[in-house]
Amino acid sequence: MRKDIHPPYGPVVFRDKSAGFAFLTGSTATSDKTVEWEDGRTYPVIDVEVSSASHPFYTGTAKVLDTAGRVERFERRYGAR
């Protein structure tokens, strides 16, 4: 890697306020806000709107579309012409 062209990489806390969920990971993202983590250190924090704790796909609350019913309704309506 060439020197002095990449953004600094370091620990960052991503926090989903709607779900009360946060996780610490490495990232090049930065923030002026900080939070004290469980280990007693202070890290930059980035608030996100959706995470695995609040997304319907991961929480199991996703709605499944009835595609079979739609196909049957289409065939009834237009038939095999």
Side-chain angles (χ1 to χ4, degrees), residues 3-65:
K3 293 184 179 188
D4 301 327
I5 64 167
H6 300 285
Y9 181 84
V12 177
V13 174
F14 286 91
R15 177 173 57 191
D16 182 355
K17 285 188 161 184
S18 64
F21 177 70
F23 60 94
L24 177 66
T25 187
S27 177
T28 58
T30 59
S31 175
D32 294 333
K33 296 187 228 174
T34 59
V35 67
E36 187 172 331
W37 192 243
E38 299 161 354
D39 61 2
R41 295 183 182 171
T42 302
Y43 298 105
V45 62
I46 297 177
D47 293 323
V48 294
E49 294 181 17
V50 178
S51 70
S52 61
S54 63
H55 193 280
F57 178 79
Y58 294 106
T59 59
T61 59
K63 295 180 181 177
V64 178
L65 296 176

Side-chain angles (χ1 to χ4, degrees), residues 72-81:
E72 292 169 0
R73 185 174 34 179
F74 178 84
E75 288 177 351
R76 272 196 317 260
R77 198 178 281 170
Y78 299 105
R81 294 183 183 187

